[in-house]
């Protein structure tokens, strides 16, 4: 009888244990947004569950909530004297703990009681408190949901208003408000870094595949205009990337296998009880895996490999503040293999190496003041070689650049109304640039680049935030830049405001901005008779831009947000061809505003201008009952003036962009522990522009001849692309596994890339982009 009773008890326990819903821990730190100081005694609650769960922050602002049910959760944070916030749709899984940090804004009117309500007004707001307009926070959870982004921030940005592809679906190049992609600035952990993409080129801001991993990134800011004074050396957009802190209490790991390669990540405490942590991610890939599956994306004669590594180690101390050691490195190769059996004698190869490492120190000198200091170093090298006996062409490039940067700023909160931030950035730019090619006309080798030297780039900024009330905030500031190579200096005033009426928000910003050209352009040589040379562009100035933007935002419902923004940008001091040097319309209509990368040894002048203006609309339904939706529409003009003084459309002047994204999550399995996510999006945009083709001249000359006097009047067919993604997430007691399939261009539409004259067919033909690109992957968290 006793054995029977005991057996029933154990069986009951087993049944109860098996039927229990899985849970996880949610933890993090709550700080003051303006001063960065930890908030002691703040209340953190898991809303919309019964019974309620919550915690109070400790002396260092940390909290810990255990036994949180897996799935989507809403977190409410409040503290007496501060404005409460609600953070919705936090994905809680069984494989890894959730680290959720947040910042609160001190209220100008101290209330006796604070009630937390679940209004998602804070969702998507930029992390930088000095940003007021044309900025959004990129959430890593959202990026992973967007189909065909391949966890790439640049590809994810295509869904935001005013952003479109650069014209090549194999690259993650983006055009923001009609600006050249060259004007984009990449930052990591608060400091400028080289272009963090594989398969890039000199002067480019993009590449084929991002070196960044969603295993490493925290929520990061993306700017499309009117940047705060803290940012310099950008005219079109900014990616301000932040690496998250590893779990300082528990070791956790991630493994991933996909058609684009394999990856592994690990994180955990460095020393028990010290709140120090490490986080590291490594990825290796070869696109040959796609070929093995019959998807001949690259062709039989091309070979591509790439790998990258990123890490962050954070070590807090008692007296010297916290230290973070972080870095990113990547290497990739490309090779075209000629088929000798059919007489091909064309060789092409490319190799790229990039490394970035830094140390960040944040130290508090009082409860309201802190210094952030960053010392970083970076190295990037691009080597290209092209050799063709058929074309009698030889071109070899070796561009190596390294940068050492020292950045520091002081942040002080005088009161809830007044906060200042003052800082400087010192950059030592070293370069070893070589380019040799065979000149067929002169029948000799020419060396337009052979430079090994260094120079300095110095920046300073000052920001003042003034809150006239809980509703109205003004951010003003100055940014200063000086380029030691040619002595050019720029002083750029900026101002922004935000009027938060709780039921709606009006925001705006104006300011001057500038962007330097690649060092290769400043140092390139033009050879004269007798073997001497001149560096035509050593004194070339920066491209400058005046930005203005005005925005309106309203919550139509608690989970439905509408945004509208109008903008006007005037660009000046743009490099163009000097009018006195040519009568060739291909040169007279040239402007750096139409370029993606590269350099020239020929003389340029800062005589060009440009204008961008438009209207952007966004309707976003936050994730509710498993469903979310994002719809954006943009109407815009992008114009430029070259050396001939005629205002024309830029090649990016498509006129309109419409994006639609929607997805649905279904909870499945016993107790709803697992989920299926289905996501789809489509992009519809006006086509890029190019010069019309002179058909009669093309017939006579036997190759494509363009009418450059009408440059960019020809508009290519409209761009349309539909992407699809599906994933299955399975939670077990200590692991989470995700299998997903992402397909870019699921309808296999062949979008027009450019037009040319087909001599053999005696007609105008079009080259098209990649019609289909899938990625199947499996991810395990434990």
């Amino acid at each position: 009888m006793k054995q029977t009773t005991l057996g029933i008890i154990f069986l009951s326990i087993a049944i109860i244990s098996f039927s229990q819903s899985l849970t996880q821990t949610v933890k993090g730190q709550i700080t003051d947004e303006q001063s960065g100081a930890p908030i002691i005694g703040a209340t953190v609650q898991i809303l919309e569950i019964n019974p309620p769960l919550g915690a109070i922050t400790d002396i260092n602002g940390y909290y810990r909530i255990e036994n949180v049910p897996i799935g989507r959760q809403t977190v409410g944070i409040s503290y007496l004297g501060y404005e409460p916030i609600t953070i919705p749709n936090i994905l809680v899984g069984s494989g890894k703990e959730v680290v959720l940090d947040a910042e609160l804004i001190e209220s100008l009117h101290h209330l006796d009681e604070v009630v937390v309500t679940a209004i998602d007004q804070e969702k998507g707001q930029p992390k930088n408190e000095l940003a007021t307009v044309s900025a959004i926070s990129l959430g890593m959870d959202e990026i992973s949901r967007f189909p065909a982004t391949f966890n790439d921030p640049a590809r994810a940005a295509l869904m935001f208003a005013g952003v479109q592809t650069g014209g090549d679906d194999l690259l993650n190049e983006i055009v923001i408000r009609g600006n050249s992609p060259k004007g984009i600035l990449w930052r990591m952990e608060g400091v400028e870094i080289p272009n963090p993409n594989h398969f890039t080129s000199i002067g480019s801001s993009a590449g084929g595949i991002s070196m960044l991993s969603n295993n490493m990134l925290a929520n990061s800011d993306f700017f499309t205009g009117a940047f705060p004074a803290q940012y310099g050396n950008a005219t079109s957009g900014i990616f301000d990337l932040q690496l998250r802190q590893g779990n300082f209490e528990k070791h956790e790991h991630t493994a991933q296998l996909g058609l684009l390669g394999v990856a592994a990540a690990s994180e955990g405490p460095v020393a028990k009880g010290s709140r120090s942590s490490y986080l590291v991610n490594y990825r290796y890939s070869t696109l040959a895996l796609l070929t093995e599956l019959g998807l001949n994306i690259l062709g039989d004669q091309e070979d591509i490999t790439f790998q990258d590594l990123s890490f962050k180690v954070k070590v807090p101390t008692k007296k010297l503040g916290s230290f973070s050691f972080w870095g990113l490195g990547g290497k990739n190769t490309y090779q075209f293999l000629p088929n000798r059996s059919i007489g091909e004698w064309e060789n092409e190869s490319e190799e790229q190496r990039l490394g970035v490492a830094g140390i960040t120190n944040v130290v508090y000198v009082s409860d309201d003041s802190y210094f952030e200091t960053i010392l970083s170093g970076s190295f990037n090298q691009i080597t290209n070689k092209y050799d063709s006996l058929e074309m009698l062409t030889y071109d070899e490039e070796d561009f190596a650049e390294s940068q050492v940067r020292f950045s520091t700023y002081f942040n002080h909160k005088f009161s809830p109304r007044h906060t200042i931030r003052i800082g400087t950035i010192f950059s030592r730019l070293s370069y070893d640039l070589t380019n040799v090619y065979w000149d067929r006309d002169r029948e000799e080798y020419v060396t337009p680049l052979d430079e090994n030297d260094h120079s300095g780039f110095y920046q300073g900024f000052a920001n003042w935030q003034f809150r006239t009330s809980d509703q109205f905030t003004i951010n003003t500031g100055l940014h200063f830049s000086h380029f030691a190579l040619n002595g050019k200096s720029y002083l750029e005033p900026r101002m922004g405001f935000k009027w938060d009426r709780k039921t709606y928000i009006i925001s705006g910003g104006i300011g001057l901005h500038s962007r330097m050209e690649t060092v290769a352009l400043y140092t390139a040589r033009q050879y004269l008779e007798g073997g001497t040379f001149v560096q035509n562009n050593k004194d070339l100035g920066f491209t400058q831009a005046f930005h203005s933007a005005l925005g309106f935002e309203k919550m139509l419902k608690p989970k439905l947000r509408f945004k509208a923004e109008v903008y006007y940008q005037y660009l000046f001091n743009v490099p163009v061809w000097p009018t006195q040097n040519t009568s060739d319309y291909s040169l007279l209509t040239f402007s750096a505003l139409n370029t993606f990368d590269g350099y020239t040894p020929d003389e340029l002048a800062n005589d060009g201008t440009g204008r961008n203006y438009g209207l952007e609309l966004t309707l976003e339904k936050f994730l509710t009952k498993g469903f979310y939706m994002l719809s954006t529409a943009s109407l815009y003009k992008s114009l430029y003036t070259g050396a001939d003084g005629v205002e024309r459309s830029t090649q990016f002047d498509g006129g309109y962009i419409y994006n639609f994204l929607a997805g649905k999550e279904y909870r499945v399995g016993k107790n709803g522990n697992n989920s299926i996510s289905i996501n789809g999006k489509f992009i519809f945009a006006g086509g890029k522009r190019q010069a019309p083709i002179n058909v009669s001249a093309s017939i006579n000359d036997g190759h494509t001849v363009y009418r450059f006097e009408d440059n960019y009047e020809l508009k290519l067919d409209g761009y349309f692309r539909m992407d699809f993604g599906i994933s299955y997430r399975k939670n077990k007691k200590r692991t989470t596994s995700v299998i997903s399939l992402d397909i870019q261009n699921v309808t296999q539409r062949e979008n027009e890339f450019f037009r040319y004259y087909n001599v053999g067919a005696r007609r105008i033909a079009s080259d098209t982009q990649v019609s289909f690109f899938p990625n199947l992957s499996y991810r395990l968290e434990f």
Side-chain angles (χ1 to χ4, degrees):
M1 183 67 179
K2 289 182 179 180
Q3 291 179 342
T4 303
T5 303
L6 191 60
I8 293 174
I9 292 173
F10 278 119
L11 180 61
S12 300
I13 293 174
I15 293 173
I16 293 172
S17 300
F18 182 77
S19 63
Q20 285 179 340
S21 296
L22 299 175
T23 64
Q24 187 54 275
T25 297
V26 176
K27 62 185 182 182
Q29 186 182 34
I30 310 301
T31 57
D32 183 294
E33 184 181 84
Q34 295 165 299
S35 71
I39 297 178
I40 305 170
T43 300
V44 184
Q45 295 176 290
I46 307 297
L47 306 177
E48 303 174 353
I49 65 171
N50 190 24
L53 293 173
I56 304 296
T57 56
D58 63 17
I59 192 172
N60 295 308
Y62 288 97
Y63 70 93
R64 181 183 179 89
I65 307 175
E66 298 180 344
N67 300 318
V68 178
I70 64 170
R72 297 282 176 181
Q73 301 295 348
T74 300
V75 178
I77 306 168
S78 62
Y79 183 65
L80 185 64
Y82 282 75
E83 298 178 12
I85 63 171
T86 300
I87 307 175
N89 300 317
I90 303 301
L91 181 59
V92 180
S94 59
K96 300 179 69 174
E97 294 182 341
V98 177
V99 179
L100 180 65
D101 298 331
E103 299 174 333
L104 298 182
I105 301 176
E106 187 172 358
S107 175
L108 297 180
H109 303 285
H110 293 280
L111 305 177
D112 294 330
E113 183 179 1
V114 173
V115 179
V116 178
T117 55
I119 299 177
D120 301 338
Q121 190 73 51
E122 294 294 324
K123 184 181 182 297
Q125 299 299 323
K127 292 173 63 64
N128 191 320
E129 68 275 14
L130 302 176
T132 58
V133 71
S134 301
I136 191 169
S137 177
L138 282 168
M140 293 306 106
D141 175 54
E142 293 173 315
I143 289 177
S144 64
R145 288 205 311 267
F146 292 0
T149 62
F150 312 123
N151 297 319
D152 181 346
R155 295 182 191 274
L158 286 174
M159 288 310 303
F160 300 121
V163 184
Q164 61 178 320
T165 69
D168 187 347
D169 284 345
L170 280 176
L171 301 178
N172 61 4
E173 210 147 29
I174 59 173
V175 173
I176 301 174
R177 294 179 171 176
N179 286 285
S180 165
K182 286 174 57 178
I184 294 176
L185 172 72
W186 288 95
R187 283 166 52 105
M188 177 175 285
E189 291 291 286
V191 69
E192 181 178 348
I193 63 172
N195 176 7
N197 289 288
H198 292 290
F199 309 108
T200 186
S201 56
I202 187 73
S204 172
S205 66
I209 298 171
S210 174
M211 295 182 185
L212 305 166
S213 169
N214 65 328
N215 293 328
M216 297 291 300
L217 293 175
N219 285 5
S220 303
D221 288 344
F222 174 60
F223 296 84
T224 57
F227 320 127
Q230 185 176 350
Y231 300 99
N233 199 28
T235 52
S236 62
I238 297 172
F239 282 97
D240 192 3
L241 306 170
Q242 298 294 322
L243 301 178
R244 66 181 181 87
Q245 180 182 357
N247 194 326
F248 55 76
E249 294 179 328
K250 179 183 178 183
H251 291 281
E252 297 176 328
H253 315 283
T254 302
Q256 188 164 339
L257 172 65
L259 295 182
L260 292 179
V262 295
S266 181
E267 61 184 290
V270 175
K272 189 175 181 180
S274 67
R275 287 205 168 100
S276 60
S277 65
Y278 73 89
L279 175 63
V280 62
N281 183 88
Y282 174 74
R283 177 176 59 170
Y284 177 82
S285 179
T286 171
L287 294 181
L289 291 173
L290 293 174
T291 305
E292 294 297 326
L293 295 175
L295 301 171
N296 199 2
I297 300 291
L298 302 173
D300 296 329
Q301 296 173 262
E302 295 181 277
D303 180 52
I304 285 181
T305 62
F306 65 89
Q307 56 184 316
D308 45 65
L309 172 73
S310 48
F311 68 91
K312 181 176 181 178
V313 178
K314 185 170 183 179
V315 181
T317 66
K318 293 182 178 180
K319 295 183 179 181
L320 300 178
S322 65
F323 289 86
S324 296
F325 306 88
W326 52 271
L328 171 69
K331 180 181 179 181
N332 57 259
T333 60
Y334 165 81
Q335 188 172 12
F336 177 82
L337 307 173
N339 188 344
R340 305 297 191 197
S341 63
I342 60 174
E344 286 185 347
W345 295 95
E346 181 181 31
N347 290 282
E348 184 176 2
S349 63
E350 174 186 329
E351 183 175 352
Q352 176 192 356
R353 295 185 296 159
L354 179 138
V356 183
I359 177 171
T360 302
N361 173 243
V362 180
V363 59
Y364 282 86
V365 295
S366 71
D367 290 341
D368 296 317
S369 304
Y370 69 89
F371 281 95
E372 178 176 290
T373 304
I374 306 169
L375 178 63
S376 70
S378 61
F379 173 81
N380 58 304
Q381 182 177 24
I382 301 174
T383 303
N384 297 312
K385 185 176 181 180
Y386 179 77
D387 187 3
S388 174
L389 289 178
E390 298 172 4
M391 303 295 295
L392 295 178
T393 300
Y394 178 86
D395 194 344
E396 184 173 0
E397 299 175 328
D398 189 356
F399 301 123
E401 297 179 279
S402 60
Q403 303 86 23
V404 176
R405 290 189 172 90
F406 176 80
S407 170
T408 185
Y409 71 79
F410 173 70
N411 191 97
H412 178 66
K413 177 182 175 181
F414 291 97
S415 70
R417 293 184 184 273
H418 300 280
T419 302
I420 63 166
R421 181 174 296 176
I422 302 174
T424 59
I425 306 169
F426 300 97
S427 302
R428 186 182 192 273
L429 311 179
S430 301
Y431 47 91
D432 187 358
L433 312 174
T434 304
N435 180 203
V436 179
Y437 72 91
W438 175 256
D439 190 315
R440 285 184 293 176
D441 296 330
R442 297 165 57 177
E443 294 187 343
E444 64 180 5
Y445 287 101
V446 177
T447 307
L449 267 178
D450 187 9
E451 295 292 322
N452 186 350
D453 206 343
H454 68 272
S455 185
F457 182 43
Y458 312 113
Q459 301 174 76
F461 63 88
N463 276 109
W464 172 42
Q465 183 184 82
F466 175 41
R467 300 175 62 207
T468 64
S469 67
D470 282 336
Q471 298 179 348
F472 196 80
T473 301
I474 299 175
N475 290 315
T476 61
L478 285 171
H479 189 96
F480 173 77
S481 300
H482 175 75
F483 189 31
L485 184 68
N486 56 21
K488 302 290 185 179
S489 298
Y490 302 91
L491 185 63
E492 301 161 356
R494 320 260 179 95
M495 185 182 75
F497 75 89
K498 186 175 182 179
W499 189 23
D500 189 348
R501 299 283 295 172
K502 302 306 177 184
T503 56
Y504 63 87
I505 296 174
I506 298 176
S507 59
I510 58 173
L512 287 175
H513 311 275
S514 62
R515 172 76 173 182
M516 69 185 299
E517 300 295 330
T518 174
V519 174
L521 179 61
Y522 294 111
T523 59
R525 302 173 175 182
Q526 184 179 53
Y527 281 85
L528 307 175
E529 292 184 5
T532 61
F533 65 87
V534 293
Q535 293 176 308
N536 289 313
N537 298 310
K538 194 165 187 177
D539 292 326
L540 196 69
F542 289 12
T543 295
Q544 294 183 266
F546 168 77
H547 286 193
S548 61
L550 181 66
F552 175 81
E553 179 178 335
K554 182 176 178 59
M555 299 296 296
L556 302 179
K557 294 181 180 180
K559 303 291 183 179
L560 184 66
R561 177 169 61 190
F562 170 77
K563 293 176 65 176
E565 194 162 312
V566 293
Y567 65 89
Y568 177 83
Q569 300 175 348
Y570 176 71
L571 296 98
F572 55 102
N573 285 345
V574 179
V576 296
W577 224 267
T579 55
Q580 68 272 19
N581 289 358
T582 183
S583 59
D584 185 345
Y585 270 102
S586 66
L587 304 179
L588 289 172
T589 59
F590 167 84
S591 172
L593 299 183
N594 293 305
T595 59
F596 293 85
D597 53 17
Y599 73 97
T600 177
D602 297 315
E603 182 182 2
L604 299 177
N606 291 111
D607 296 331
T609 61
R611 295 190 298 145
N612 302 314
Y613 55 89
L615 168 67
E616 299 169 353
L617 304 174
T618 300
L619 184 65
E620 182 176 13
K621 183 185 183 301
F622 305 147
L623 188 64
T624 311
K625 296 181 179 179
F627 176 76
Y628 73 96
M629 180 272 296
L630 176 64
S631 177
T632 65
S634 306
L635 298 174
Y636 70 99
K637 286 294 293 181
S638 177
L639 306 169
Y640 83 100
T641 301
D644 63 350
V646 177
E647 187 174 59
R648 297 178 170 85
S649 292
T650 69
Q651 71 161 310
F652 311 115
D653 186 24
Y656 62 90
I657 313 167
Y658 179 69
N659 301 314
F660 182 81
L661 167 71
K664 176 70 175 178
E665 287 185 357
Y666 300 91
R667 298 196 68 172
V668 297
K670 194 173 183 66
N671 299 316
N673 287 334
N674 309 320
S675 64
I676 295 176
S677 178
I678 301 175
N679 305 278
K681 73 176 181 186
F682 70 79
I683 303 171
F684 184 46
K688 298 295 188 297
R689 293 175 177 267
Q690 70 172 67
I693 297 173
N694 189 326
V695 177
S696 59
S698 298
I699 294 174
N700 292 333
D701 294 355
H703 61 83
T704 305
V705 178
Y706 295 100
R707 298 202 321 265
F708 286 109
E709 62 270 26
D710 300 319
N711 211 356
Y712 301 116
E713 283 193 6
L714 174 62
K715 190 176 183 180
L716 301 179
D717 293 341
Y719 180 92
F720 176 81
R721 197 181 88 198
M722 181 176 291
D723 302 332
F724 174 78
I726 183 170
S727 65
Y728 173 64
R729 176 180 290 267
K730 183 176 181 61
N731 288 288
K732 294 184 178 181
K733 188 173 182 179
R734 292 185 177 87
T735 64
T736 297
S737 56
V738 183
I739 184 169
S740 59
L741 173 65
D742 276 324
I743 302 176
Q744 178 177 293
N745 200 0
V746 67
T747 64
Q748 302 189 52
R749 174 184 169 90
E750 294 184 348
N751 286 299
E752 195 172 20
F753 191 28
F754 67 91
R755 293 182 191 175
Y756 64 97
Y757 182 75
N758 189 316
V759 178
R762 299 181 65 83
R763 63 178 178 85
I764 294 177
S766 294
D767 201 359
T768 57
Q769 301 194 47
V770 174
S771 62
F772 183 76
F773 195 92
N775 182 39
L776 178 67
S777 67
Y778 174 76
R779 177 184 176 93
L780 177 65
E781 300 174 354
F782 58 99

